[in-house]
Amino acid sequence: MGFRIKVYLICLFVMLTGFCTATSEDILIKNAERTIDLTSQLVKITHRLTLSNTGKSSVKSFSFPIDPKAQEKLSYFKAQLADGKESSGELKTEFSTVKGILTYKITLSSSLEPGQIVKVLVGTVFTHHLSPHPKEITQKEKQLVQYRGNAYIYTPYKVTTQTTKVLLSSSTVESYTKVKPSSQSDSTITYGPYENVAPLSEEGIIIHYENNTPFLSVGHLLRHIEVSHWGNIAVEETLDVYHGGAKLKGSFSRFEYQREQSGVSSVKSFKTVLPELAADVYYRDEIGNISTSNLRQEDDGDVSLELRPRFPLFGGWKTHYVVGYNLPSFANLFNSGDEFVLQMDLISHIFDHMVVDDALVRIILPEGASNIEVETPYAVTRLPDSLHFTYLDVKGRPVVEIAAKNLVENHIQPFKLRYTFSRIVMLQEPFLCVLAFFLLFLTFIIYARLDFSITKDETCDNRSRAAVMVEHIRNHYLKRSTLFQAFETQVAKLKSSRDINAFQAAAKNITSDLRAQILDLPSSLKSESPQLNDRVTELQKQDKAYRDFQSTHAQLVERLVSGKINKAQFVDAEALLTKKRDELVEKLNHLINTL
Amino acid sequence: MISVESMSRYVSPVNPAVYPHLSVLLLMIGTFFTAWFFVYEVTSTKITRELSKELFIAFVASLFMGFGLLFLMLWVGIYV
């Protein structure tokens, strides 16, 4: 029993050790071509590795450690298959710190069989890796920087042959470490080819050359994205940009600056590329709007904003500004039913070869958004959600905050944010406005009903009540006068048409209306205002008189029409009646006006 | 994995191009009703005032003014 256990343990041990050493011994890098791009402020290293499996078992992944001297400055890491096609699939990578060295484990898309070879492309970007040397320069001088690296590739595998090509921003090289065979031609330094280099071997190189390209870095970026379901996404970026190159020594002379060959490493302006549909762009700082900017639409559809800060940026100088724009919602917001997805770049383009030390992205969703889920293209820190209060808010708008550090242009990738929002909640905003106005009107209604008088004024009350009655009576009599007019027109028509029957029918209608319209006064009127009562009774008497006159007139005309009297008699009678009529009308009008 | 393939692009319930016209129209009607309300308040006496009429005019006026104000804010760029 004991013996068998020992055998098993020994077998297990052998297997484990075999397993552990399988990755580092079974792979041989047949050919490695490394390109170190030092043409900008970033150090971009691309490795083209030809791996071959020299072991007996298939290999699924290989490890790629980062040079410990540079590993804090690593910003971006990407591995893909180099099979000649531009859009080769990206390989999955995961990193871990093994013995204090940051190591990436790259998983191959298909396992490498023994004896097979595979070509892999590994790209890395380092920030703040070029150090200006001298650290301070005057306005006239050119900027020289130093790159400290390794002549050999830092890898745990044996490399059969390797070459390194260093691309510089200019052909002015102060000095470079010569590791045989190395050569310089124009702005390229070639190291190699080196044969059979042992794993993890180091040969330090220092390249001191002239680099006048913009050394701008964004110290802190605050990116504000506000989503509105009324069709707009507002983006606002607050940036602290500083010049990270050689600091300016001595004073700044504007006169000298305006001459040629002065401040070659300073940055006068830079170009930001905004999304295609960006509109209402503004560029301002604490003082106000900065007018030295140009918004241009490029041929390929991009909108480019050329920004010229208020002063040129020399080494050690910084500027703080805000750029904002509006995007239509259909550019980045998708929905199906109550589910919405916002797809936008996590950070956007600020300037070419940019470095962002610290970024904070705040996405403000409309009030009532729930079930928030965020998917980012690379590892970031998601801070706890908070609330933002702005126009027409009751509960507050949920804010998603994402923080990230050490970002470059390669990090401009979209993130996806999903949330649930029922569209009916949008109505809360207009109804809040409606409620506000209604409360204002209610205040007026209540104010009109408030009575702050100390004593109760009886006569005033009576007078107002009497005035109300007068209005009422006046309106009544106005209506009656229209009826009287109608009667008169009928009579005139009778004179011309001589149609008695029609006249009688119409007359009957009008008289019945008049009778129905007799005014009924409240009984209290007699006690409250006796004079008004007298006048009203007088009015009623006159009204009756007028009606009598009208019936007499009608009878007369009827008699004429039916031939009972002749014309002369009719004319006399009519003249009398007309005189009486005029008197009556005058009296009525007088009474109504002086009511 | 959040996928947007099956989703359609989101557009506002009201076409943003009509925000100016809509806001002017609604505010004009709202102002008319507001004016009517204030005239009624000023010309009526304690006896002739009717609460139901007041509330009705106030409600309609506030409805139009409220919506008009919202579209005015959207037109101006305050995307609430």
Side-chain angles (χ1 to χ4, degrees):
Chain A
M1 193 58 182
F3 175 69
R4 267 162 121 201
I5 289 175
K6 274 197 200 132
V7 167
Y8 284 145
L9 283 173
I10 290 167
C11 287
L12 199 66
F13 180 70
V14 167
M15 254 169 57
L16 280 172
T17 45
F19 214 55
C20 285
T21 51
T23 44
S24 49
E25 284 187 16
D26 285 1
I27 296 178
L28 169 74
I29 300 178
K30 278 213 161 125
N31 183 26
E33 283 164 25
R34 186 169 61 147
T35 312
I36 304 179
D37 183 332
L38 302 178
T39 52
S40 65
Q41 64 168 330
L42 303 167
V43 174
K44 298 183 199 172
I45 307 181
T46 326
H47 307 79
R48 195 176 278 270
L49 308 166
T50 310
L51 304 164
S52 82
N53 188 351
T54 53
K56 291 191 184 52
S57 53
S58 65
V59 162
K60 289 193 186 62
S61 66
F62 70 101
S63 71
F64 191 97
I66 308 290
D67 195 333
K69 295 191 202 67
Q71 70 186 40
E72 276 137 22
K73 309 208 179 86
L74 177 70
S75 168
Y76 184 68
F77 186 93
K78 183 175 171 176
Q80 64 184 77
L81 286 172
D83 53 3
K85 291 189 280 225
E86 271 301 317
S87 56
S88 286
E90 201 177 319
L91 300 173
K92 201 164 84 83
T93 61
E94 26 176 90
F95 63 90
S96 56
T97 313
V98 175
K99 286 187 239 168
I101 301 173
L102 179 68
T103 312
Y104 276 83
K105 186 172 120 176
I106 302 167
T107 314
L108 297 165
S109 52
S110 54
S111 50
L112 190 63
E113 300 304 320
Q116 294 289 316
I117 60 166
V118 69
K119 289 205 185 117
V120 179
L121 201 65
V122 176
T124 54
V125 179
F126 296 87
T127 59
H128 302 298
H129 199 38
L130 296 172
S131 47
H133 192 91
K135 285 205 174 35
E136 291 184 6
I137 53 169
T138 64
Q139 197 176 327
K140 281 197 286 278
E141 289 169 16
K142 297 195 207 319
Q143 182 171 264
L144 302 166
V145 296
Q146 263 186 352
Y147 167 69
R148 285 162 201 275
N150 191 359
Y152 307 127
I153 293 178
Y154 192 77
T155 176
Y157 310 113
K158 192 150 174 260
V159 186
T160 315
T161 141
Q162 58 171 286
T163 323
T164 302
K165 216 158 58 157
V166 181
L167 305 168
L168 303 170
S169 60
S170 75
S171 49
T172 319
V173 181
E174 283 290 306
S175 67
Y176 69 95
T177 319
K178 293 179 178 52
V179 180
K180 268 223 187 80
S182 60
S183 65
Q184 180 203 347
S185 74
D186 215 11
S187 57
T188 316
I189 299 177
T190 316
Y191 280 94
Y194 302 112
E195 309 286 334
N196 292 322
V197 177
L200 298 177
S201 55
E202 290 183 43
E203 183 69 47
I205 54 166
I206 300 174
I207 303 174
H208 193 198
Y209 70 105
E210 182 186 315
N211 189 343
N212 288 319
T213 58
F215 263 63
L216 291 178
S217 319
V218 179
H220 186 73
L221 163 70
L222 173 62
R223 185 165 152 88
H224 236 107
I225 300 168
E226 189 166 332
V227 179
S228 163
H229 278 207
W230 290 103
N232 188 61
I233 299 171
V235 179
E236 191 177 276
E237 295 186 342
T238 310
L239 297 104
D240 285 295
V241 176
Y242 67 92
H243 189 291
K247 291 202 190 333
L248 181 69
K249 188 165 62 175
S251 59
F252 169 63
S253 157
R254 176 65 70 171
F255 172 67
E256 229 183 83
Y257 180 67
Q258 276 168 345
R259 298 165 65 171
E260 305 164 13
Q261 291 302 309
S262 178
V264 283
S265 66
S266 68
V267 179
K268 199 160 156 184
S269 66
F270 49 89
K271 200 152 83 153
T272 304
V273 174
L274 302 176
E276 260 180 41
L277 294 164
D280 310 332
V281 185
Y282 57 90
Y283 168 48
R284 55 175 80 124
D285 68 358
E286 287 123 347
I287 300 167
N289 179 53
I290 305 173
S291 57
T292 50
S293 60
N294 259 310
L295 192 67
R296 232 175 257 120
Q297 182 133 49
E298 306 286 341
D299 297 326
D300 54 359
D302 285 336
V303 170
S304 76
L305 178 65
E306 190 181 322
L307 302 174
R308 184 152 70 91
R310 293 186 196 274
F311 46 85
L313 292 169
F314 278 84
W317 292 15
K318 61 182 193 248
T319 176
H320 174 96
Y321 65 89
V322 171
V323 166
Y325 50 91
N326 280 341
L327 291 169
S329 65
F330 57 79
N332 299 88
L333 192 59
F334 299 84
N335 88 311
S336 84
D338 276 351
E339 212 178 276
F340 291 84
V341 173
L342 176 72
Q343 186 176 308
M344 280 187 85
D345 284 338
L346 197 57
I347 54 163
S348 68
H349 183 268
I350 301 164
F351 40 81
D352 287 335
H353 312 296
M354 67 190 204
V355 175
V356 178
D357 291 340
D358 199 358
L360 177 64
V361 181
R362 298 184 83 225
I363 305 140
I364 301 171
L365 300 170
E367 205 179 9
S370 55
N371 299 337
I372 300 166
E373 203 184 304
V374 182
E375 198 181 282
T376 52
Y378 40 83
V380 291
T381 322
R382 179 151 168 213
L383 303 170
D385 291 349
S386 54
L387 283 177
H388 183 249
F389 292 91
T390 180
Y391 297 97
L392 304 180
D393 278 346
V394 176
K395 294 182 303 191
R397 296 173 190 229
V399 181
V400 175
E401 290 189 25
I402 297 170
K405 281 195 196 321
N406 201 6
L407 306 168
V408 281
E409 239 174 308
N410 307 69
H411 287 108
I412 301 175
Q413 289 171 43
F415 71 91
K416 294 199 196 107
L417 199 160
R418 177 167 62 192
Y419 60 95
T420 318
F421 180 81
S422 71
R423 311 253 287 246
I424 215 83
V425 173
M426 266 163 84
L427 275 179
Q428 170 239 313
E429 284 157 356
F431 278 114
L432 210 59
C433 295
V434 171
L435 186 71
F437 272 107
F438 191 67
L439 285 174
L440 182 73
F441 287 124
L442 260 181
T443 326
F444 274 109
I445 292 173
I446 294 169
Y447 173 74
R449 277 170 171 69
L450 291 172
D451 184 14
F452 289 119
S453 57
I454 303 166
T455 55
K456 200 162 162 177
D457 199 355
E458 278 283 344
T459 46
C460 199
D461 272 353
N462 286 342
R463 217 177 292 152
S464 53
R465 232 171 283 154
V468 166
M469 288 304 316
V470 164
E471 259 321 300
H472 193 53
I473 295 164
R474 246 197 220 131
N475 287 339
H476 183 87
Y477 271 95
L478 267 164
K479 275 187 237 150
R480 283 181 84 82
S481 66
T482 39
L483 280 172
F484 286 146
Q485 291 287 76
F487 197 87
E488 306 258 317
T489 24
Q490 284 299 327
V491 171
K493 224 165 62 174
L494 177 65
K495 265 200 228 164
S496 53
S497 67
R498 307 212 165 223
D499 188 355
I500 293 190
N501 293 329
F503 167 73
Q504 279 187 334
K508 214 193 255 178
N509 267 339
I510 294 176
T511 30
S512 61
D513 281 338
L514 277 168
R515 220 167 288 159
Q517 260 209 358
I518 297 289
L519 187 62
D520 60 336
L521 296 163
S523 52
S524 58
L525 190 62
K526 218 177 192 170
S527 55
E528 280 173 20
S529 151
Q531 358 156 250
L532 187 61
N533 196 26
D534 294 336
R535 286 204 210 121
V536 171
T537 19
E538 181 70 33
L539 190 62
Q540 282 184 321
K541 244 189 353 200
Q542 294 297 330
D543 183 70
K544 189 152 188 308
Y546 196 79
R547 264 186 289 135
D548 289 337
F549 150 73
Q550 280 202 324
S551 47
T552 354
H553 192 198
Q555 277 176 342
L556 188 67
V557 176
E558 266 179 33
R559 260 197 265 149
L560 173 71
V561 165
S562 52
K564 289 204 188 114
I565 52 167
N566 60 3
K567 193 130 190 222
Q569 281 178 304
F570 170 74
V571 169
D572 289 334
E574 204 188 9
L576 263 167
L577 279 173
T578 327
K579 213 169 96 192
K580 221 169 87 184
R581 201 261 318 257
D582 288 338
E583 279 175 27
L584 274 172
V585 165
E586 217 190 281
K587 248 200 232 160
L588 264 171
N589 281 337
H590 178 77
L591 274 170
I592 289 174
N593 286 338
T594 57
L595 211 54
Chain B
M1 274 302 295
I2 306 172
S3 98
V4 295
E5 272 79 46
S6 57
M7 296 188 160
S8 56
R9 288 178 182 272
Y10 174 78
V11 281
S12 161
V14 178
N15 183 4
V18 301
Y19 285 156
H21 310 90
L22 205 57
S23 67
V24 167
L25 181 73
L26 290 171
L27 283 175
M28 262 171 40
I29 299 172
T31 314
F32 165 75
F33 277 102
T34 313
W36 185 9
F37 175 82
F38 278 110
V39 165
Y40 183 71
E41 283 293 320
V42 167
T43 57
S44 63
T45 59
K46 211 157 77 171
I47 304 149
T48 54
R49 211 174 282 135
E50 282 171 68
L51 184 67
S52 58
K53 187 166 169 185
E54 280 178 313
L55 283 175
F56 174 72
I57 303 175
F59 176 70
V60 175
S62 60
L63 195 73
F64 281 101
M65 284 298 271
F67 275 88
L69 180 69
L70 176 87
F71 284 109
L72 181 72
M73 284 167 87
L74 292 174
W75 176 21
V76 159
I78 308 171
Y79 279 92
V80 291

